[in-house]
Amino acid sequence: MKRLWIILLLCASLAGCSKERSGGAVGNGDPGQQEETGGTPINPGAMVKGPAFSDEVDDTPQVSLSNIKVLRVDGITPNFTLLTAPAISATITAGSTAMPFSPRQYFKANHDDAHFMAYYPAGTFVAGNPVKVNYTIDGSQDIMATAPSTAVWQSGGTNIAFQFEHKLALLELNVIAADQGTATAYGALQHASVSAPNELTLSISAAGSSSLARSAGSSAMADMVFTGAQMSVSPEKKSYYVMVDPASVITKIKLTFANRTATLLDLYETGTNTLGLSLEAGKKTVITAMVYADEIQCVVSIEPWKVDATNPGGEIEVGGNVP
């Protein structure tokens, strides 16, 4: 089973400069500056120590993530609202444990501590208090952000640790016909979707904490399509996924079969008569639609966020779909 958990630890090195002790400027990654100041080149990598984007027994990332945005401010305490744009990018390559920063990072000559936070994907950055990153989603893209992390100045360099958290909720859909006769009568599943807000904003405070919410003033909704969804025949199960704002009010799912008109099915909270799904960031809400000759019954449950690598409908590791 591939595990998609809410914590990913990344250590990014910060190198000191041999002339810092005498007040020399620290290079920012430009080779000329490094040579001029005697700056110690940074090891441009990070070790992936957590189970996110990995198998249960192997911490090597299974997917590539590019254009991760990293914010940095310096001083005694962080104030990320001073930034006008993200100046650092990072990449994780499938099968590798390195996360290079571009450009390389160095402590400043005045020995300030360096404060970092990161988010993915890039979105549209808007400076202000709070900083905002705007997204328009279609259900196929995860949104993640880290808690702030501080690198305390050291002449020999140091490491920082990032913890990435999922900001969206994962929906899993399983459409299962009771028997082959039922599957034949309904025909192929042609469409499956839920309606949810698609304009979201990640807000980042001065201290570097972050929260995701529907964009201010937006009433936009979109069909989040379970791409490639097929109906299986019991006992086989095929799973398909979308990611949505955990604050979404989702009360129905739309299913279209070749031999049936489009069907809107009510979704009830597990074990209750309350209409609407319970969603939680970093958790998976599973919708199992059992198809019988004369009705379709939906069962809903909440489970840890993970994807079955052996399932033909679940081979894409959620969170790694590069925009």
Side-chain angles (χ1 to χ4, degrees):
M1 297 281 286
K2 288 187 179 178
R3 294 185 65 185
L4 278 169
W5 203 235
I6 62 174
I7 295 179
L8 169 65
L9 296 181
L10 304 171
C11 297
S13 299
L14 277 173
C17 173
S18 61
K19 292 191 176 180
E20 282 185 28
R21 300 184 188 89
S22 59
V26 179
N28 65 357
D30 177 77
Q33 281 191 299
Q34 290 177 29
E35 183 177 354
E36 179 183 348
T37 63
T40 303
I42 187 175
N43 174 14
M47 294 300 294
V48 179
K49 294 183 180 297
F53 310 115
S54 64
D55 293 334
E56 291 185 2
V57 295
D58 182 2
D59 284 346
T60 302
Q62 303 297 299
V63 294
S64 296
L65 299 179
S66 62
N67 205 23
I68 300 167
K69 291 302 180 184
V70 182
L71 303 183
R72 172 182 175 170
V73 291
D74 298 273
I76 298 174
T77 57
N79 186 355
F80 289 96
T81 63
L82 298 176
L83 296 173
T84 57
I88 308 166
S89 296
T91 299
I92 301 173
T93 302
S96 171
T97 57
M99 193 188 83
F101 279 1
S102 178
R104 294 183 179 184
Q105 297 299 294
Y106 294 82
F107 282 113
K108 292 188 177 298
N110 61 4
H111 300 179
D112 278 348
D113 294 341
H115 311 278
F116 295 85
M117 69 86 59
Y119 60 89
Y120 173 87
T124 301
F125 185 94
V126 180
N129 187 6
V131 169
K132 295 183 178 180
V133 185
N134 293 324
Y135 297 98
T136 300
I137 67 171
D138 63 6
S140 66
Q141 178 60 63
D142 196 4
I143 297 174
M144 295 181 291
T146 73
S149 185
T150 296
V152 177
W153 184 89
Q154 295 182 40
S155 61
T158 188
N159 295 324
I160 60 172
F162 280 150
Q163 287 189 343
F164 276 88
E165 293 183 346
H166 296 291
K167 294 297 186 179
L168 297 179
L170 179 65
L171 290 184
E172 176 184 302
L173 173 65
N174 308 291
V175 181
I176 306 173
D179 51 53
Q180 186 58 55
T182 300
T184 301
Y186 275 79
L189 179 62
Q190 296 179 327
H191 176 90
S193 66
V194 294
S195 181
N198 69 330
E199 294 180 349
L200 306 177
T201 296
L202 181 71
S203 296
I204 302 171
S205 72
S209 61
S210 62
S211 61
L212 186 73
R214 195 169 188 172
S215 298
S218 173
S219 59
M221 301 286 286
D223 284 343
M224 305 297 171
V225 178
F226 293 88
T227 302
Q230 300 176 20
M231 178 168 57
S232 60
V233 178
S234 182
E236 182 185 14
K237 182 181 78 170
K238 295 181 178 180
S239 302
Y240 303 89
Y241 303 91
V242 296
M243 285 157 282
V244 298
D245 175 14
S248 300
V249 179
I250 297 177
T251 60
K252 296 181 183 294
I253 184 169
K254 182 179 181 180
L255 300 177
T256 302
F257 298 89
N259 300 334
R260 294 287 193 276
T261 57
T263 302
L264 283 173
L265 298 175
D266 289 336
L267 297 170
Y268 291 90
E269 194 169 321
T270 305
T272 74
N273 292 321
T274 303
L275 191 63
L277 296 181
S278 293
L279 303 174
E280 186 177 341
K283 292 291 183 67
K284 178 175 67 175
T285 298
V286 180
I287 305 168
T288 301
M290 289 300 303
V291 182
Y292 299 98
D294 56 354
E295 65 175 342
I296 301 176
Q297 297 179 355
C298 288
V299 178
V300 178
S301 62
I302 296 179
E303 301 178 7
W305 179 309
K306 57 186 177 181
V307 175
D308 187 348
T310 64
N311 188 329
E315 291 173 351
I316 295 177
E317 192 161 326
V318 179
N321 301 336
V322 178

